[in-house]
Amino acid sequence: FKAECNVSDKDLVSLASTRLNQSNADFIVANDVGRPNQGFQSENNDVWVIPKTGKPFHILLTSKQLVAEKIIDQIMESALL
């Protein structure tokens, strides 16, 4: 996971992609914890799932439970390719 504060979506994806490329991970999930109604103090979140190869996938603001399910779906889908 890569948390940032008060950055644009473009910068969020770029910063997370840089972090991913420096790691040995296959994916990174990025979110902006400075945005209202999401992040640490909320039951909701808005995240980007960024694979090492392929296009980033945006999960729009929804419950953290649904975000988790969608992250798992993205990882499973990539494993099947």
Side-chain angles (χ1 to χ4, degrees), residues 6-34:
N6 299 318
V7 297
S8 68
D9 280 351
K10 181 179 177 182
D11 288 344
L12 180 63
V13 170
S14 177
L15 290 164
S17 294
T18 298
R19 175 78 177 261
L20 177 61
N21 290 331
Q22 296 169 347
S23 74
N24 196 27
D26 295 321
F27 292 87
I28 194 164
V29 178
N31 69 316
D32 186 333
V33 296

Side-chain angles (χ1 to χ4, degrees), residues 2-81:
K2 175 73 170 141
E4 293 291 342
C5 190
N6 299 318
V7 297
S8 68
D9 280 351
K10 181 179 177 182
D11 288 344
L12 180 63
V13 170
S14 177
L15 290 164
S17 294
T18 298
R19 175 78 177 261
L20 177 61
N21 290 331
Q22 296 169 347
S23 74
N24 196 27
D26 295 321
F27 292 87
I28 194 164
V29 178
N31 69 316
D32 186 333
V33 296
R35 295 180 184 171
N37 302 317
Q38 65 185 48
F40 296 123
Q41 302 297 320
S42 175
E43 294 297 318
N44 299 310
N45 218 341
D46 175 302
V47 305
W48 285 88
V49 179
I50 303 158
K52 192 117 205 169
T53 58
K55 293 173 55 175
F57 177 79
H58 191 195
I59 301 173
L60 297 173
L61 187 64
T62 191
S63 73
K64 288 181 178 176
Q65 175 67 37
L66 193 52
V67 167
E69 291 172 15
K70 289 183 177 189
I71 291 170
I72 291 169
D73 289 347
Q74 284 297 305
I75 293 170
M76 295 301 294
E77 186 177 308
S78 292
L80 297 175
L81 297 178

